[in-house]
Amino acid sequence: MKTLSQVILWSFIAGVISCILAFSFPIIDFYFYLFVACAIVFVLSLSILLFRGENIENSEANNTYADFLNNSLDVEYEKGAQITFSGKWHAIPNKNKSKLLFIKTDANGFVKNIIDDFCASNSIYDGNGLVAVDDKRKKVLLYNFDDSNPSYKVINYTDLLSVAIITDGKMISEKSTMRTIGGALVGSAIMGSAGAVVGGLSGDATMGEKIGKVLVKFILRDISTPSFEIVFLDMMPIKPSAVDYYKVERALKKANEIKDLTAIVIDEVDKQEKRPQASQPNPSSNSSVADELAKLAALKEQGILTDEEFNIQKEKLLNT
């Protein structure tokens, strides 16, 4: 990619200079032919960049990654268990399944981050980002692969408060925990103008407005980082009838898969927090039974109830 970019730059500069010289010295055909040659090289190089640039970039990144695996990978990591999210992004667990090594590669080298105390039980990802869960440690990993500003966040299950799919600033679906005030949004689906698209993510979307941006937003129980976003699509808005609308559908499908995965986490924590409360005895109920038993005992002492009648009534109270 770097070489191709340099060819485009220098052919453009040479073309401009030769064009100036051709107009300055019209009797010299050499400058005109030089301008034509530079123009042809520029157009061809630019076409390759536009139509094959991503493949070239991924190929360069894969070559860098292969070189890293063969020559620089620490022996504690399990080389055969690596996960490739795109041409640039990869993750490798260590042999003890206690941490993940994230690698970002390109033609110039690599950048690595180590996620301690985490091993993915399940994950949803593409070249834009990753959401992984460690069900053993009850943790969630959120990773944004944005080239200009990559970032990640590891949180406990209990710190995930809600997840929402947002298109062009409009929230079209949300899952929220009962642990928030009111809890009215649990399992809710808030459908906007793009609702027809979300309703048929796996089918043909023929209705709805233009969509250009699709992101998943997480609300966290963290004052320093109260929210985290992963953008799965960011382009000029396009209509459902457009040829490249499949990009919108693909982004929405991935966003919906992530929402479903994190919704399971939210539901699990909600159930765990409700269970102890349900199993605790009701103090007022226990005290009322004790009061009734005391009354029965008093009636027995007064001779109003026989021993047999007392035992029958006592059994009824204890069983209820």
Side-chain angles (χ1 to χ4, degrees), residues 130-167:
L130 158 80
V131 174
V133 296
D134 183 342
D135 205 43
K136 178 181 178 181
R137 298 173 178 84
K138 305 300 180 184
K139 290 183 177 182
V140 180
L141 169 62
L142 311 173
Y143 215 125
N144 178 16
F145 295 156
D146 184 4
D147 284 337
S148 60
N149 186 30
S151 58
Y152 69 90
K153 184 80 175 176
V154 180
I155 60 172
N156 295 319
Y157 274 16
T158 53
D159 292 331
L160 179 60
L161 298 181
S162 73
V163 55
I165 301 174
I166 299 174
T167 60

Side-chain angles (χ1 to χ4, degrees), residues 128-131 142-146 149-153 163-164 166 169 213-220 225-232 258:
N128 300 290
L130 158 80
V131 174
L142 311 173
Y143 215 125
N144 178 16
F145 295 156
D146 184 4
N149 186 30
S151 58
Y152 69 90
K153 184 80 175 176
V163 55
I166 299 174
K213 189 167 187 177
V214 177
L215 64 88
V216 178
K217 183 173 184 177
F218 306 89
I219 302 300
L220 313 176
T225 311
S227 65
F228 191 94
E229 294 181 357
I230 300 177
V231 179
F232 288 95
I258 285 176

Side-chain angles (χ1 to χ4, degrees), residues 77 91-93 98-102 113-116 118-120 141:
Y77 291 98
I92 310 172
S98 60
K99 56 184 173 181
L100 278 175
L101 172 64
F102 272 81
N113 287 313
I114 297 176
I115 312 296
D116 287 313
F118 188 91
C119 185
L141 169 62

Side-chain angles (χ1 to χ4, degrees), residues 61-249:
N62 283 329
N63 290 337
T64 303
Y65 179 61
D67 181 67
F68 169 78
L69 286 180
N70 294 327
N71 302 308
S72 304
L73 182 65
D74 194 296
V75 293
E76 75 167 303
Y77 291 98
E78 195 170 355
K79 183 177 178 180
Q82 68 263 27
I83 304 170
T84 296
F85 308 114
S86 68
K88 294 181 180 180
W89 287 93
H90 318 267
I92 310 172
N94 69 335
K95 294 177 181 178
N96 296 328
K97 307 296 183 185
S98 60
K99 56 184 173 181
L100 278 175
L101 172 64
F102 272 81
I103 305 292
K104 180 194 175 187
T105 58
D106 56 32
N108 300 318
F110 61 88
V111 178
K112 60 183 180 180
N113 287 313
I114 297 176
I115 312 296
D116 287 313
D117 195 28
F118 188 91
C119 185
S121 308
N122 194 5
S123 59
I124 306 293
Y125 58 85
D126 69 0
N128 300 290
L130 158 80
V131 174
V133 296
D134 183 342
D135 205 43
K136 178 181 178 181
R137 298 173 178 84
K138 305 300 180 184
K139 290 183 177 182
V140 180
L141 169 62
L142 311 173
Y143 215 125
N144 178 16
F145 295 156
D146 184 4
D147 284 337
S148 60
N149 186 30
S151 58
Y152 69 90
K153 184 80 175 176
V154 180
I155 60 172
N156 295 319
Y157 274 16
T158 53
D159 292 331
L160 179 60
L161 298 181
S162 73
V163 55
I165 301 174
I166 299 174
T167 60
D168 296 329
K170 299 176 183 178
M171 182 172 65
I172 60 173
S173 181
E174 183 187 42
K175 171 70 177 182
S176 181
T177 175
M178 290 180 65
R179 288 162 285 143
T180 56
I181 296 175
L185 293 178
V186 175
S188 64
I190 304 173
M191 308 308 290
S193 58
V197 177
V198 175
L201 292 178
S202 59
D204 295 328
T206 58
M207 299 178 63
E209 296 180 356
K210 294 180 180 179
I211 295 178
K213 189 167 187 177
V214 177
L215 64 88
V216 178
K217 183 173 184 177
F218 306 89
I219 302 300
L220 313 176
R221 194 196 301 273
D222 188 336
I223 293 176
S224 62
T225 311
S227 65
F228 191 94
E229 294 181 357
I230 300 177
V231 179
F232 288 95
L233 182 73
D234 193 1
M235 59 186 294
M236 290 294 294
I238 54 177
K239 293 181 178 180
S241 57
V243 175
D244 55 349
Y245 195 75
Y246 71 91
K247 296 178 182 179
V248 175
E249 294 176 320

Side-chain angles (χ1 to χ4, degrees), residues 12 33 57 59-60 75 82 127 146 148 164 226 276 284 291 301 305:
F12 176 77
Y33 292 132
E57 191 175 20
S59 177
E60 292 174 341
V75 293
Q82 68 263 27
D146 184 4
S148 60
S284 60
D291 290 341
E301 290 180 0
L305 292 177

